[in-house]
Amino acid sequence: MRIIIALILLTAVNRSLNAIIRPEADSADKSAHPTSIPVTTDESWINEILMNGAVEEDMKETGELNPNYYPAQMAAKVVEHYLNTRYGSPSKLFLLHDVHKANAEDVADSGRKYQLEISMQEIIGNTTWTCSAEVLFPRGEQQRSPQVKASCEELLKINTTAQDEALYQQYKMNQSLLSVQHLPDSYGNIEPGMKPFWHLGAVASSFVMLNESTEDTKYNMAQVANVTQMATENDQLKFDYDVLLHDMVSQEIIHWKLLITWSPPEGVKVLQMTMLPRCFECEKPH
Ligand SMILES: *[C@@H]1O[C@H](CO)[C@@H](O)[C@H](O)[C@H]1NC(C)=O
Ligand SMILES: *[C@@H]1O[C@H](CO)[C@@H](O)[C@H](O)[C@H]1NC(C)=O
Ligand SMILES: *[C@@H]1O[C@H](CO)[C@@H](O)[C@H](O)[C@H]1NC(C)=O
Ligand SMILES: *[C@@H]1O[C@H](CO)[C@@H](O)[C@H](O)[C@H]1NC(C)=O
Ligand SMILES: *[C@@H]1O[C@H](CO)[C@@H](O)[C@H](O)[C@H]1NC(C)=O
């Protein structure tokens, strides 16, 4: 019975991912799409469900956890969102690479705490470092955001000041304001010049994903549906983003509208985040 449920789930995953990003092989005219981006969705945990049974059983497990198994991966994903909100930029984007060690404990009255040894990748410069982190999922009536502490000193030495400054100057000086849809397109490709805006969308989405994460979610940004630059205010570039986020647990695609500012000294700030109603169009970009 469990296997049947897991297989149905797996089919749902594939269908929903295919709706967003068609495999490379489908691309008839590659020359029109000069680069392809790494797809940041990972499905390895779903195999764990196939092997080990339903998610919920192990949600309550305490002590040493299997680092490859869902609860450890889910908690570690939250650290990725946290690092992006703190340190992300159009030229610096963190992605969970691997979980080495994980431990969970119930903390009386306050929630469940995960202690993690993980490695994080910075995908633009392609460097990987280890971090130790702590994620607390608060317990209570009200849904509250997880609290994260992370120590990744080496990661913070990555210096992208020069790239960020160049992009900032380019879009601050430009007379016309950027407006672009579908990053990546349905072939999984992004024009090289637009990649920083996909990265920036992923960083902005991390604010939502960090805030919305619980022990029953695992979010990835699926696509920037639309990014529109607004007039620069107080030396801050301003953007209106429509993003599609994918929860790998519920298989839901959720659509958020984010108003953000960015400058190299101030970093990324989210002024407004609004969840848009479910729209079936969103599940099939174009
Ligand atoms: C990133 O670096 C690793 C080793 O340092 C290498 O194996 C891998 O191919 C690189 N990936 C990309 C996309 O350059
Ligand atoms: C980053 O590099 C720039 C030069 O590109 C330098 O001026 C700046 O001090 C460096 N920042 C840090 C934190 O190392
Ligand atoms: C200015 O913006 C337009 C529209 O986004 C873009 O096509 C053009 O390449 C930009 N120019 C520079 C110098 O960045
Ligand atoms: C974060 O989520 C909570 C509910 O989970 C919500 O009340 C709060 O407004 C959110 N924060 C932001 C900045 O949207
Ligand atoms: C993109 O977003 C901007 C700002 O919200 C909006 O004016 C524009 O119509 C949107 N474009 C598309 C194609 O949805």
Side-chain angles (χ1 to χ4, degrees), residues 242-245 252-257 273-283:
D242 278 6
V243 293
L244 303 183
L245 309 181
E252 269 196 305
I253 302 278
I254 52 174
H255 188 180
W256 283 76
K257 197 169 190 59
M273 36 171 116
T274 318
M275 186 159 70
L276 298 177
R278 275 189 78 80
C279 81
F280 294 99
E281 286 294 290
C282 300
E283 305 207 12

Side-chain angles (χ1 to χ4, degrees), residues 14 18 22 96 106 134 144 146-147 161 167 188 204 262:
N14 287 335
N18 287 345
R22 267 190 259 155
L96 176 64
D106 284 310
E134 215 176 79
R144 280 182 297 145
Q147 292 158 19
T161 307
L167 184 79
W262 171 69

